[in-house]
Amino acid sequence: MTSIPELSQELYRKGEKCQLSCQYESALSHFMEALNPLSNRSDDTDSLRFQYLVSLHIVDIYIQQWQLIKAHEFNLKAYELAKKLNDEEKIAFSLDRQGDIYLLEQEESKALDSCYDQALSRYEKSLEIVNSMDGDNHEVLIAAYANMANTYRSQNNYSDALSIQDKLLKIKISKFGNDHTEIAECYSNIGLIKFDQSEYNEALSMHNKALKIRLSLLGNNHVDVAASYNNIAAVYGSQASYDQALSMYEKSLEITISKLGYNNVQVGRIYNNIGLIYLYQSRYDEALSMFEKSRQISESILGHDHIDVAPVYQNIGLVYRIQGKFDDAHRIYQKSLQIRSSLLGYEHLDVASLLNNIASVYRAQCNYDEARVNYQKSLEIRLSIFNGNKNHLEVAQSYNNIGDIYKIQSKYDEALLMYQKSLQINKALFSHYHPKVAKLYYDIGGVYQCQIKYDDALAMFQKSLQLQLETLGDQHSDVAESYSSIATIYNFRKEHGKALSMYKKSLQIQLSVVGEDHIAVAQTYNNMATIYQSQGNYDEALSMHQKSLKIRLSALGEYSNDVSETYLNMANSYLHQGKYDEAHSMYSKSLNICEIIFDSSHINVAILYHNMALLYNIQGKHDEALSMIKKAIDIKSSLLDNNNANIAESYSVMAGIYHNLGDYDQSISIYERSRQLEVETFGQDHINVAKSYNNQGNLYDDLAKLEDAINMLEKSHQILLKVYGHDHVDVANSYNNMANVLRAQGKHDEALSMHKKSLEIKLLKLGDNNDVVADSYNNIAVIYTIQGKFDEALLMYNKSLKILLSVYGQDHIKVAHVYTNIGRVYADQGNYNNAMAMHQKSLKIKLQSTNSQNHAEVAKSYNSIGTVYECQGMYNEALMNYNKSVNIMRTLFGSDHTDISKSYNDIANIQSKKNNYDDALALHELSLAIRKTTFGDNHLDVATSYNSIGATYLGQGYFSKALDMFKKSLNILSSVTDHGNNLRIMLYLNMSICYNNQGKNDDALSMCEKSLEIALLLHGNNHINVAKCYQAKANIYSNQQMFDEAVVMLNKSLQIALSLLSQDNIYVTRLYNNMAFTIKKQGKYDEALALHNKSLKIQLSTLGSNHSEVAITYLNIGCVYKSQGKYVDALSMYQKSQKIMLKLPNQNHQYLTALYSCKGSVYDDQSQYDDALFMHQKALKVMLSHIDDNQPYAIAISHKNIANVYYHQLEYNQALSEYQKAIQILAKLPPENQPKMTKIY
């Protein structure tokens, strides 16, 4: 920096020295003076670099002084200087500093989301710049990663923090080797994260690794060695190894004072840490002495109002609090406690009562550890006063209070122990027949309920009820409460009728005792709503919630927790109905109340974030869902024990969101984390652990990792068997879940066996008129449908329908679902009129039950109706319904939801059938983009999109492009699963068709055999997919002139189709036509005509005389007559075909051009050359106006046909011109079309 004035350089050196010795004001003065002479030198590179360097020093000082606004100001100056220098490394450093400042602002304001997000944004920008730079950028890269790791750690996002630190470690090892201070720093940081996660042994291991490196490289007297001692001491402190902790802190203190002097911030921090150890050892005076030293040093350097002084004050306050000095609400109790303890002594019942009051405030704040500590102190005082005699009501009360806290914290064994102690005292004080004893039975029942021990819970609640009836009579609020608790158990056991009966008994008592406007009545209405919701009776549920809301608003006002809870319950009801806007509105109302009456870190706020995450996840707003569930987990983690089941539940939701985002590794990791918490809370054999295995099994099922799925589901099943035994509804559901995976594996008989086991249990436990039994009949019907056993499927669906009509009546959404399923079976049978009638019934119910045109269920019905129209070749009607479905989905979920991608594919398939290939491709590409954005590149849905795009290219005759798409799809499918599935069947089949059209018969046959092998494995010998494989095989043989073999394959296909489908199914008629094509090539014209006429007869009876399928059959019959030389008959058939085609609202231009070409060929054979030329030119005109370049080979053939007519007319020049046009088109096509060119030559 030769151009920098010597004075500025000297001032810089002085400032640097002052900064190192923590003389920040002097350092600032020197740095500011150093900048003054350079203020006008904006174009001098050396000057800009010097100003940048000095500005960063100033930033660091302001950060140390916690003057964050000024830090921002000078960091912005540094950033602008870096931009002027066009120095990416300096820009990156400035961004890193900006991130640091935002992190500090977070500490100051506790604005978790905004500041963390801002910090991460800057670090990510920095990292992006570094990654784009050439050369060795390890230093900047390391800084960026380190900052990101610190941010994640600050957010308690330890998994991401560890992931970044692992990256850092690898980078540093590659840069510095294994024995370097940078490696020590990495070990140290990993140790800090492990410490935050309470993984103390791992933390200690990491810190000792760091210490070993630092001692070997730096010697015994270095500040980094002191830092390692400090970190190791903290771990020992958390492990309650206090003497070892003190030893480490004293080593750290000695080194730090020798290197930095006594008056240093780090010295103050070590005194603070030593004070904490004394505090843990109950050496309060020594602790206060240490905290005072820390405070004096910190204030002398940082001032009274610095953020780093706050923790010292906090620790001094902690000592005072332990001595009885509390804040806010606690401060009121503290004043009383000080007076009473000074006058009465600490060992007094009044003090114990005050401690109970303090604990109750902590409990209301969800600070359960503090509540339990104070309840425990109260208990100890009472035991001391009563000289160990436990049989006092006050002692029983303390045990009961502690039991309540343990129950809230999911520490059920400890809770039971406390309640049992309280019960023993109450039995000793009173007779066994006393309301207080009944209340204890009730409390114990509540613990059993939380443990999912429903039989034990029911026994306790009934015991409590019996005592209450004997001691209080049948008209008492406690009796009503017991009826409600019994109802809850029945609800959990899915015995909804019994549950509702109990709630009605409870309500009757409450109305008699407290009147209709009491909040207890509101709670019962709320409970009854839960039952109606479980039954799917959402209107009745909503009515109950509204009754509850009216009472609570009148009794408590708008801003009460009970009102907030009612809005939450109403939101959940709307959520189950699919009324997402209404649900969001209710959640927002509930959240608004919670944020007013509680602080933002209250457990109720966390519950709302949890539920809103569920809503966003269902709506496909996965990023918003992830944000919500992270907020919920952050709050819960701050309030509850780390192994609390409440946290595990939110982790499970988070895993589901990552599942929907396509981040499967993260999803699996979080499911496992959730399950670990469940195991730590409940033990291995608990229903919640079983649910966790079940969730992960469902994830593996979606990933088509079917063996892994079965493994997880089997683990879940074994736990359920241990908890419930063999005859429980949840065990039955477990059989269903395993059956679904077996079905995906093609093990249909095993799946059927599982579903039947499930049905047997449900019939035994619930009787034959329960909606859960109806679900089992429905599941069995699905298997029968897959197996092509349509009559058996319809029988099962009708059994399901009968139950649901009995339970819910005609106008229920579950009834609509069964009508939909029956409609699908009819469609599979080709019975389209009945199929349409079922789907219309379903739609009518859905419109009525949801009271909305814009509902996901309504969209599904429009889609189903569109499918029936599509099967009938009524493409305009199909499109209309598909578009209705898409418009609803867009309204509900936005344009980028995965369900909409499915609808885009459906519409694209119609466009392909209409030969609108460009439109079809555009929609398939749009669907693909949504799926790749949502799931990433390696997902089954993405593979399905590539298959659809390939099928479109196949329809266009672009066989090479089609094959490329099919291979992409197959590669994804193979990476996701090695199991055969229907997509793999279709891929091999489509590839076979491509190879067949390319004349690559061996490849075509190989692909067809692969498809057939999987279809036989998955579906057995008698399935429609097997029939399609035989049909494709027949086409290959036909192209090879192996007509006898082709006929054998077609007969196999026809035999399967006739066994599965009705005689009048369109697929059957197409097989007749296909058979006719083949035997026509053998010259068996009469047999061919017989088959075409058989097909025609069916089509006329089922589709009517003006259907496209009928027109195609007339065309085929005409072609047979042409081959026989029966030109008049041929033209008659062609005319019938043309008459129908021209009437169709959606003409199939591919068949129309074929028709005109066929007529032209007949006229050519009859030497009616003008008529022939007119027809061929007409065919070409239609082709060019509607198909354009999508069918180049067909256009070339049309030119060839015209050339043939000119040739027969001896118009050789015109014939040559048309032949050349045909050759020019074919020359642009892939090499496989060369044989076709040779024929024209």
Side-chain angles (χ1 to χ4, degrees), residues 394-444:
E394 290 88 347
V395 175
Q397 182 198 22
S398 282
Y399 283 133
N400 215 75
N401 291 335
I402 295 169
D404 289 344
I405 296 299
Y406 280 133
K407 179 185 168 187
I408 292 169
Q409 292 182 302
S410 304
K411 297 180 178 180
Y412 300 127
D413 291 339
E414 294 92 329
L416 279 173
L417 178 62
M418 293 296 112
Y419 288 144
Q420 291 287 358
K421 286 183 175 183
S422 182
L423 178 63
Q424 289 171 5
I425 295 169
N426 277 283
K427 281 183 176 180
L429 291 174
F430 310 106
S431 69
H432 284 253
Y433 298 96
H434 193 277
K436 287 187 180 293
V437 175
K439 176 63 169 61
L440 265 299
Y441 286 132
Y442 177 89
D443 291 336
I444 291 169

Side-chain angles (χ1 to χ4, degrees), residues 274-289:
I274 294 171
L276 287 171
I277 298 299
Y278 285 138
L279 178 63
Y280 301 148
Q281 291 180 308
S282 301
R283 295 159 65 178
Y284 301 125
D285 291 338
E286 291 163 280
L288 275 175
S289 172

Side-chain angles (χ1 to χ4, degrees), residues 1117-1137:
I1117 293 170
C1119 290
V1120 179
Y1121 282 135
K1122 176 181 177 294
S1123 297
Q1124 290 179 305
K1126 298 179 179 180
Y1127 298 126
V1128 174
D1129 291 337
L1131 285 171
S1132 172
M1133 291 295 110
Y1134 291 149
Q1135 195 59 35
K1136 286 185 175 183
S1137 178

Side-chain angles (χ1 to χ4, degrees), residues 12 29 107 117 124 127 221 261 288 349 521 590 692 794 798 875 882 912 976 1021 1088 1120 1125 1219:
Y12 169 79
S29 175
E107 285 185 44
D117 290 346
E124 285 165 356
L127 190 60
N221 199 36
L288 275 175
L349 285 177
V521 174
S590 182
S692 179
L794 285 172
N798 279 310
Y875 300 136
Y882 285 147
S912 288
V976 172
N1021 295 318
V1120 179
Y1219 283 135

Side-chain angles (χ1 to χ4, degrees), residues 102 104 157 217 221 233 302 311 326 337 355 392 398 429 498 532 737 741 767 770 812 873 905 910 1047 1077 1159 1181 1213:
Y102 278 122
L104 294 172
N157 185 349
L217 297 176
N221 199 36
L302 304 172
F326 299 98
L337 181 63
L355 288 170
H392 284 268
S398 282
L429 291 174
K498 289 182 180 179
Y532 286 126
N737 293 334
V741 179
N770 188 286
H812 193 275
N905 278 343
I910 296 292
V1047 169
F1077 273 127
K1159 288 179 75 174
K1181 182 179 179 182
N1213 288 335

Side-chain angles (χ1 to χ4, degrees), residues 653-685:
V653 172
M654 180 186 276
I657 296 166
Y658 278 119
H659 179 176
N660 289 334
L661 283 167
D663 192 343
Y664 302 119
D665 290 340
Q666 184 76 327
S667 179
I668 289 167
S669 170
I670 293 171
Y671 272 136
E672 289 171 349
R673 187 190 305 178
S674 172
R675 187 164 60 253
Q676 182 183 356
L677 292 179
E678 300 282 12
V679 171
E680 289 172 1
T681 304
F682 304 115
Q684 181 65 42
D685 295 328

